[in-house]
Amino acid sequence: MKLLKVTTLLMLLGMPGTVLAQVDSGDTAWLLTSTALVLFMTIPGLSLFYGGLVRSKNALSVLMQCFTVTCLTALVWLIVGYSLSFSDGGEWNHLVGGLDQLFLQELSRDSVSGTIPESVFVMFQLTFATITVALIVGSFVERIRFSAVMLFSLVWLLLVYFPICHMVWGGGWMSDYGVLDFAGGTAVHLTAGVAALVCALVIKKRHGFPQTPMPPHNLVITVIGASMLWVGWFGFNAGSAVAAGADAGMAMLVTHICTAAASLTWIAIEYIRRGKPSVLGIVTGMVAGLVTITPASGFVGPMGALVIGIAAGAVCFSATQLIKVVLHIDDSLDVFPVHGVGGALGTVLTGVFAAEGLGGVGMDTSIGEQVMIQLVAVGFVVAWVMIFTFIALKLVSLVTTLRVEQEDEIEGLDITQHEEISYHL
């Protein structure tokens, strides 16, 4: 009996693709935890963060949009999203994946991705797709039809997120080109930020903007949501190591350092300019820091993270002023100046602070060469997202009107879109 057990064990260890031979329980446990953390970022984190920032008459509509987008993305990912993102696209593989994994048809309990079950990898990547499309919601809150949000999210995932995800992480041209993006500076934040800018320009301003003040209705809810985002982001960045090891540990540390630095930089600028730091400012600075460190988190050291955080606070603060105060673009919840600008800034600075001499992991190229590679990636993603987001909006407008009627907007989307209200006081 003992000989039989030993023989069976040796056979299993020698069989390629078996769970026993490849799956690491520590890595799997960490990725399961990270997956839950990233989903926690969207619901309830982002939902509450956005919900508190709008006026009370629209709070439920924002929560509804984030919640429903989460459900929609899950089904699209099952049907075609994972396949287009992570399967072999044949002659089109440099741009998009193929259709081998439609309905996850090749996924089984024994499927393995690296040292974790492939089912865990599928779910982990699904949470990234979810929060990316949910981020865009912040650009058009308080004026868009619910049906338009759902249709736009579907088309945008197909035209923008899945191809860009494949190009960066699924074996497409950006990974071959040497672009460094550890956790989504391009694939998540730059795509969402640029899409938000296009949506704000196409859907146009809210009624009364910028003359009518539109302050957040409940900053307490926003801070609660922001706190959830900060905690959940450790799964986002450290989880992207796809292993419970040194890379995950360093990614978690630099994420925290950068976020703290960006938050303090933001309120320091407010204090210098206005004489008082604001709660809204510190949580916005927090998000700017989290966004900007995302592409760099697996490549830089603590001092690089500190510099990136200070740059994130200063640059993203300036971008919000430019968009809102100077250009009067109604990107309602500052998605482009925080996620778009922060994602681009972090992607470029990764090419600097990943250098071994600056405390990073080291690169096969010089700083100048790597920065140029990063700039090319940013330029390409900006162009792709602008073109296909505009196409997505135009396609949706052929089916339904993007905006609600002015009377409905004034009354509030909670009532006019869902026949419910946030508070019974």
Side-chain angles (χ1 to χ4, degrees):
M1 181 63 72
K2 184 176 181 180
L3 177 63
L4 178 61
K5 289 181 178 179
V6 172
T7 303
T8 304
L9 178 62
L10 291 174
M11 288 177 62
L12 286 171
L13 288 172
M15 291 174 61
T18 60
V19 174
L20 181 60
Q22 298 186 42
V23 168
D24 182 279
S25 60
D27 293 345
T28 301
W30 170 235
L31 261 293
L32 287 167
T33 302
S34 297
T35 299
L37 285 170
V38 181
L39 183 59
F40 185 70
M41 289 168 61
T42 307
I43 49 172
L46 185 70
S47 303
L48 292 175
F49 182 74
Y50 278 178
L53 288 173
V54 298
R55 290 168 289 181
S56 59
K57 63 183 179 180
N58 296 306
L60 274 184
S61 71
V62 176
L63 299 177
M64 180 68 168
Q65 289 166 19
C66 291
F67 207 100
T68 313
V69 161
T70 300
C71 300
L72 174 69
T73 306
L75 298 188
V76 180
W77 188 252
L78 160 71
I79 297 168
V80 71
Y82 180 70
S83 189
L84 291 177
S85 300
F86 289 101
S87 67
D88 188 347
E91 62 179 314
W92 292 97
N93 194 59
H94 57 295
L95 292 178
V96 70
L99 301 177
D100 296 340
Q101 280 278 27
L102 285 178
F103 291 94
L104 301 179
Q105 58 187 336
E106 295 185 1
L107 181 69
S108 70
R109 289 180 180 271
D110 294 332
S111 300
V112 176
S113 177
T115 60
I116 63 173
E118 188 179 7
S119 58
V120 179
F121 181 76
V122 170
M123 183 63 195
F124 181 63
Q125 290 297 334
L126 165 57
T127 61
F128 276 61
T130 301
I131 196 164
T132 304
V133 70
L135 286 171
I136 306 171
V137 166
S139 68
F140 48 54
V141 294
E142 302 195 302
R143 60 197 186 276
I144 193 168
R145 290 182 184 276
F146 179 72
S147 58
V149 175
M150 296 302 102
L151 286 172
F152 169 76
S153 299
L154 170 62
V155 178
W156 190 85
L157 284 167
L158 294 170
L159 295 182
V160 178
Y161 183 77
F162 300 150
I164 296 294
C165 178
H166 178 79
M167 289 182 230
V168 177
W169 296 321
W173 78 266
M174 277 193 268
S175 57
D176 292 339
Y177 187 55
V179 177
L180 300 179
D181 186 355
F182 191 73
T186 54
V188 176
H189 298 293
L190 188 57
T191 57
V194 174
L197 179 62
V198 175
C199 288
L201 292 171
V202 172
I203 300 175
K204 303 189 185 320
K205 305 172 185 178
R206 287 169 288 179
H207 177 71
F209 180 90
Q211 294 81 15
T212 303
M214 300 178 184
H217 89 279
N218 193 326
L219 278 176
V220 172
I221 291 177
T222 293
V223 172
I224 292 171
S227 304
M228 293 173 177
L229 283 171
W230 193 334
V231 173
W233 221 287
F234 292 134
F236 198 85
N237 285 357
S240 292
V242 200
D247 288 342
M250 184 59 79
M252 181 175 288
L253 174 62
V254 299
T255 297
H256 198 64
I257 290 171
C258 181
T259 305
S263 299
L264 293 176
T265 300
W266 193 292
I267 61 170
I269 295 172
E270 284 189 331
Y271 186 81
I272 293 169
R273 288 169 54 95
R274 303 167 186 165
K276 289 185 176 63
S278 71
V279 172
L280 179 58
I282 199 167
V283 296
T284 308
M286 177 213 76
V287 176
L290 290 167
V291 168
T292 308
I293 196 61
T294 291
S297 55
F299 304 118
V300 305
M303 293 309 297
L306 176 63
V307 176
I308 291 172
I310 294 170
V315 172
C316 292
F317 178 90
S318 300
T320 59
Q321 300 303 300
L322 176 64
I323 293 296
K324 284 281 179 66
V325 179
V326 178
L327 300 178
H328 298 306
I329 297 173
D330 190 14
D331 177 0
S332 310
L333 306 184
D334 296 326
V335 184
F336 173 72
V338 173
H339 294 273
V341 173
L345 177 65
T347 299
V348 174
L349 291 181
T350 300
V352 177
F353 292 101
E356 190 172 3
L358 296 175
V361 297
M363 302 180 292
D364 296 330
T365 61
S366 68
I367 290 177
E369 291 171 332
Q370 191 62 49
V371 167
M372 184 55 63
I373 290 171
Q374 303 296 100
L375 284 169
V376 169
V378 168
F380 176 86
V381 171
V382 168
W384 182 286
V385 176
M386 290 186 73
I387 292 168
F388 285 102
T389 300
F390 182 78
I391 291 172
L393 288 167
K394 290 304 176 185
L395 289 174
V396 171
S397 68
L398 296 176
V399 179
T400 184
T401 306
L402 294 172
R403 288 189 67 135
V404 298
E405 299 294 334
Q406 182 172 313
E407 295 79 11
D408 292 343
E409 182 182 338
I410 293 172
E411 187 174 358
L413 301 192
D414 290 0
I415 286 289
T416 60
Q417 294 293 293
H418 307 293
E419 293 189 352
E420 296 170 298
I421 59 174
S422 303
Y423 305 101
H424 296 272
L425 300 178

